Amino acid sequence: MLRRLGVPVLLVALALGLGAVPAASAAPASDVGARAAAARCPDESLSDRAAVRTEAGARLGTARMYVTPRDDEFVFCIRVTPVEHLRSRDVSAFVRHRRVAADGGRWPSVTIKMSWRRPFVVYGSFEPGSGIAALVTIKTPDGTRGTARVRATVS
């Protein structure tokens, strides 16, 4: 997956301190327990389910953001769930996220293509009042595209 995204996107994400990685690559391959834990979103939801809809209003799925504190940082997790008849390998999910500081400052946004089968995870140090804003897109093989916005703030 990193080859398709290219090294520049990864370097920009790391330089910005976003630490955004798909959950599947968040843990070493040898540590099966850590990989299984990373593939799940935390229990505490920070946002309601947002419906992923096309411009015409057709519902393609839902997106929801979760957060958990871990050591000195917070872990944000976005779970994308297509409707039942769209759950195939050919359905793509994209997350365009932006980190927002407590004072309203924003870091540049980064778009990542992901598998809807695994949650999208952002690791980082966030001060109270800062958070993540994300635009979630589901794209079907026939070109149908739907979007939803999810936002969460650390309190």
Side-chain angles (χ1 to χ4, degrees), residues 75-96:
V75 178
F76 284 87
C77 176
I78 301 172
R79 168 77 63 194
V80 178
T81 309
V83 293
E84 189 70 38
H85 72 277
L86 292 179
R87 294 181 187 174
S88 74
R89 212 177 335 189
D90 299 328
V91 173
S92 300
F94 297 86
V95 173
R96 180 174 184 187

Side-chain angles (χ1 to χ4, degrees), residues 2-153:
L2 289 177
R3 287 186 183 159
R4 276 190 267 147
L5 292 174
V7 175
V9 172
L10 179 61
L11 291 176
V12 168
L14 292 174
L16 295 174
L18 296 176
V21 295
S25 62
S30 61
D31 190 352
V32 176
R35 182 188 293 167
R40 290 181 299 215
C41 287
D43 294 334
E44 185 179 342
S45 169
L46 275 184
S47 68
D48 292 332
R49 287 184 197 272
V52 179
R53 296 189 182 273
T54 64
E55 287 183 13
R59 187 168 174 253
L60 299 181
T62 60
R64 191 171 202 178
M65 190 176 299
Y66 302 82
V67 70
T68 188
R70 184 181 293 164
D71 299 328
D72 295 347
E73 62 184 12
F74 285 90
V75 178
F76 284 87
C77 176
I78 301 172
R79 168 77 63 194
V80 178
T81 309
V83 293
E84 189 70 38
H85 72 277
L86 292 179
R87 294 181 187 174
S88 74
R89 212 177 335 189
D90 299 328
V91 173
S92 300
F94 297 86
V95 173
R96 180 174 184 187
H97 73 284
R98 177 181 300 236
R99 186 172 168 185
V100 182
D103 63 2
R106 296 172 183 249
W107 281 265
S109 61
V110 177
T111 302
I112 305 240
K113 180 180 179 183
M114 58 179 268
S115 167
W116 61 266
R117 296 171 191 261
R118 293 188 177 88
F120 173 80
V121 179
V122 178
Y123 298 91
S125 299
F126 293 86
E127 59 189 38
S130 63
I132 295 282
L135 179 68
V136 176
T137 303
I138 293 177
K139 184 178 176 188
T140 64
D142 67 358
T144 304
R145 180 183 306 249
T147 59
R149 293 186 189 280
V150 290
R151 176 183 301 256
T153 303

